[in-house]
């Protein structure tokens, strides 16, 4: 087991067979375990018993990351009489960690929080950095807070039961980290997408970025590479498309945009595209260019009505534009990339 | 005009005729003014025009401090296409500052916020310290965040149009500050409850407390004196009772509890009671002891199922109990105070 301190105040434990660790018992706090339906029988029931915790279960899937589910959880906590001396433990993928984190941050102005991410995506991305969120009909993650858990337990044993599709979801964020800041990660992934060292390296990369910019006013925005188009694709698909698929498509498209704007070389773009062709990339049902554009117009990175993109000038390097990490892109600059994406309707 | 820095990052401007100050224009941010219906014609329409701000209006009264109003505001902001580069200005009493503060803290994980409190209560209490909140059917302020505005403009000219009742609301929090930490404030208020120096002194008192304990894990809890019973009274009255009235009753009752538990002298209790008799103290319609008790059981200060109270041992001093600022009180210890409160059914 490895322990990593994430500023300002989170302890990350990564290793195998972590869930029996004493450290999970945080003092005399009343503990409520909130678990994704998908891991209820696999882990949640046992863990709740071991921790003498009450158990609440939320549905699986992005659709559960809603104000409705948050309100349901808050009502349950009130009914149980939970005070500020409550510890919420989130057990599940990014939906569970984002949603439970949000609830913990607003319930009685903040109660203690522990995250146990059970998917590769949540381990390398969602659980790290203190972002909490719920989705709205206007788009993904549009409501949320910055709130730091006391601890994160990343139990690699859990990944053994993870479906193939979930591996690709996590890999999409690993590759993104490679593209924007860590060329070594990209190289490792090109050789072996299953290399377990990728996990720790991606977490450490994210910690470095978040540490410099906890509230996302500057550098942290580079993490949004692939996400402007990615989030819009998810919205258009009504969240039927997984986050990883959407991010993979988004990264490919935003690499294409970087090429079209003259920042990225043909050669490196070809190298990037070759990697993403390993994914089964296709546009979601009901995709239409106008809908994508509308969904992007509600993106958080948008400033003063413009759509802003993080762009790369080589593998492993997101660009700076007069000190900012994103650049406004006009509709006509975006046109060639949208045209190119049309070809995905058949296959990539 | 006086400028006071409130840690970590809020500028408080207090004085007369502040709303024409240049400082209100925070850079190039898109500005949305969210105003209480009650000050719409008086100040909001003009101010919005002057700031080139869009104007949203919320209903007056505690009932507006709900998840429904928060959701309404968030939806309006989405419809207007507001991004993270938005500045929300709250104009109104404590309901507006608490509610808009909450919305600002969760909209796209936080946008810029300015508070313009228009009531004495909001100036001396609600606007200071970064607490945001909405009420739930389970009680007051049970959902919220800690989120600091960029600036607060406390324009004393606005108090000239304030109804008498609103003066008493503010005075209740001023007196509370006197009881828990600032004997000089209590003395001044005994001489002249309208002394304008009371305002600045109370703000400074609150800043001192909040500075030591921004997240309310310790000292800050003394600010809850009078609020355990006060909040419960508001809940029982379905928020028909004003916050100030409820806090005044709560302070009188919790001073009585301090007396019964042997901490406060008869003499000082009599002095305190004499002051609160200036208020028209009466129990809310539909009051029943059992309902009060149930409402208290959902209070945030409650730990492990106990009801906790801040207690005073003299005017100007809240007590410490083994380092904690509140003490668990059993139902039977509370009994004499609840009996005493029954007498308020007629009059105090």
């Amino acid at each position: 087991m490895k322990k990593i301190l994430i500023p300002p105040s989170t302890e990350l434990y990564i290793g195998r067979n972590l869930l029996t660790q004493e450290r999970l018992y945080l003092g005399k706090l009343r503990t409520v375990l909130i678990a994704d339906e998908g891991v209820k029988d696999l882990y949640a029931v046992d863990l709740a018993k071991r921790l003498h915790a009450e158990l609440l279960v939320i549905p699986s899937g992005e659709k559960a990351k809603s104000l409705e589910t948050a309100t349901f959880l808050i009502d349950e906590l009130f009914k149980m009489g939970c005070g500020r001396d409550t510890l919420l433990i989130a057990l599940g993928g990014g939906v569970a960690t984002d949603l439970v984190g949000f609830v913990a941050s607003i319930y009685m102005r903040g109660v203690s929080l522990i995250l146990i991410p059970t998917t590769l995506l949540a381990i390398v991305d969602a659980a790290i950095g203190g972002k909490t969120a719920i989705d709205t009909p206007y788009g993904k993650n549009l409501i949320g807070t910055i709130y730091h858990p006391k601890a994160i337990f990343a139990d690699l044993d859990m990944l053994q039961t993870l479906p193939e599709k979930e591996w690709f979801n996590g890999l999409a964020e690993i590759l993104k980290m490679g593209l924007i800041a860590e060329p070594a990660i990209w190289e490792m992934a090109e050789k072996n997408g299953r290399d377990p060292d990728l996990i720790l390296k991606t977490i450490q990369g994210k910690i470095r970025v978040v540490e410099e910019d906890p509230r996302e006013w500057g550098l942290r925005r580079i993490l949004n590479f692939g996400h402007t188009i990615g989030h819009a694709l998810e919205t258009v698909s009504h969240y039927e498309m997984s986050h990883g698929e959407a991010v993979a498509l988004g990264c490919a498209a935003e690499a294409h945009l970087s090429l079209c704007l003259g920042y990225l070389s043909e050669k490196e773009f070809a190298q990037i595209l070759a990697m993403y062709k390993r994914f089964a990339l296709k546009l979601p049902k009901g995709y239409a260019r106008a809908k994508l554009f509308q969904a992007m117009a509600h993106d958080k990175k948008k400033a003063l009505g413009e759509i802003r993109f993080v762009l790369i000038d080589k593998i492993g390097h997101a660009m700076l534009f007069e000190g900012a990490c994103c650049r406004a892109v006009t509709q006509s600059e975006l046109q060639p990339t949208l045209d190119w994406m049309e070809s995905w309707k058949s296959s990539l």
Side-chain angles (χ1 to χ4, degrees), chain A:
Chain A
M1 188 186 72
K2 206 175 155 68
K3 178 176 164 181
I4 299 172
L5 286 175
I6 310 180
S9 57
T10 302
E11 296 176 352
L12 167 74
Y13 298 86
I14 183 165
R16 301 193 175 275
N17 193 25
L18 295 184
L19 294 198
T20 53
Q21 305 291 327
E22 284 299 314
R23 195 63 193 74
L24 264 182
Y25 307 74
L26 262 195
K28 271 188 272 175
L29 296 174
R30 175 172 180 173
T31 305
V32 181
L33 178 65
I34 303 178
D36 179 308
E37 176 77 50
V39 294
K40 185 185 162 197
D41 296 329
L42 210 52
Y43 307 116
V45 173
D46 276 0
L47 184 62
K49 221 174 272 172
R50 200 141 16 91
L51 298 177
H52 305 288
E54 285 145 301
L55 176 62
L56 293 173
V57 176
I58 54 171
S60 294
E62 187 75 28
K63 281 178 190 165
K65 214 172 105 178
S66 64
L67 187 59
E68 287 66 39
T69 320
T71 310
F72 159 77
L73 288 176
I74 287 170
D75 272 350
E76 291 299 310
L77 295 172
F78 281 132
K79 282 187 214 157
M80 289 154 64
C82 291
R84 284 189 61 193
D85 58 332
T86 300
L87 164 65
L88 298 187
I89 303 181
L91 180 75
V95 168
T97 58
D98 279 7
L99 172 75
V100 177
F102 180 63
V103 168
S105 74
I106 66 170
Y107 188 77
M108 299 202 173
R109 294 203 190 92
V111 294
S112 298
L113 173 68
I114 283 181
L115 303 179
I116 310 179
T118 59
T119 65
L120 182 59
L121 178 64
I123 287 175
V124 298
D125 188 47
I128 312 294
K131 279 192 179 183
T132 82
I134 56 175
D135 302 332
T136 82
Y138 295 93
K140 219 174 121 76
N141 296 338
L142 289 183
I143 291 180
T145 51
I146 305 284
Y147 194 72
H148 299 284
K150 303 280 179 218
I152 303 168
F153 292 83
D155 192 333
L156 301 180
D157 281 340
M158 287 186 168
L159 300 180
Q160 288 170 0
T161 56
L162 205 64
E164 181 73 5
K165 194 183 156 181
E166 282 295 333
W167 266 100
F168 272 97
N169 271 334
L171 188 57
E173 291 289 353
I174 290 172
L175 292 175
K176 179 203 74 181
M177 181 58 74
L179 285 180
I180 58 173
E182 307 279 344
I185 289 180
W186 183 269
E187 273 175 49
M188 279 173 73
E190 275 185 329
K191 282 183 202 129
N192 173 14
R194 293 267 185 167
D195 188 334
D197 283 349
L198 282 171
I199 298 173
L200 191 59
K201 283 211 178 308
T202 304
I203 290 174
Q204 286 168 330
K206 179 149 185 191
I207 291 172
R208 273 195 292 276
V209 172
V210 169
E211 204 173 334
E212 285 196 35
D213 176 27
R215 288 210 73 87
E216 199 185 16
W217 294 112
L219 179 68
R220 187 167 179 169
R221 294 193 178 196
I222 67 171
L223 297 171
N224 285 313
F225 181 72
H227 282 61
T228 305
I229 290 176
H231 278 172
L233 285 169
E234 276 183 279
T235 305
V236 167
S237 82
H238 299 285
Y239 304 112
E240 305 248 315
M241 188 171 217
S242 78
H243 183 64
E245 276 179 278
V247 167
L249 263 78
C251 284
E254 294 180 21
H256 185 271
L257 182 62
S258 303
L259 167 77
C260 293
L261 294 174
Y263 302 130
L264 185 67
S265 72
E266 288 272 5
K267 184 174 161 258
E268 291 215 326
F269 175 70
Q271 199 182 335
I272 292 168
L273 192 59
M275 171 67 91
Y276 285 109
K277 279 185 173 168
R278 299 187 198 175
F279 290 75
L281 299 179
K282 57 177 186 201
L283 291 169
K285 246 190 290 179
Y287 174 85
R289 187 185 288 213
K291 282 191 202 166
L292 188 81
F293 209 80
Q294 198 190 0
M296 282 192 289
H298 282 290
D299 193 88
K300 287 195 291 304
K301 289 174 290 306
K302 184 180 65 84
L304 298 168
E306 301 161 333
I307 300 177
R308 289 173 168 259
F309 285 87
V310 177
L311 297 161
I312 56 173
D313 53 7
K314 61 181 177 195
I315 290 171
H317 190 255
M319 299 177 69
L320 278 184
F321 301 93
E322 293 168 12
C325 293
C326 24
R327 168 195 187 287
V329 171
T330 64
Q331 197 159 354
S332 69
E333 285 174 322
L334 195 56
Q335 214 56 39
T337 296
L338 294 175
D339 290 341
W340 180 66
M341 285 173 69
E342 292 287 315
S343 71
W344 297 352
K345 276 187 177 160
S346 46
S347 77
L348 193 71

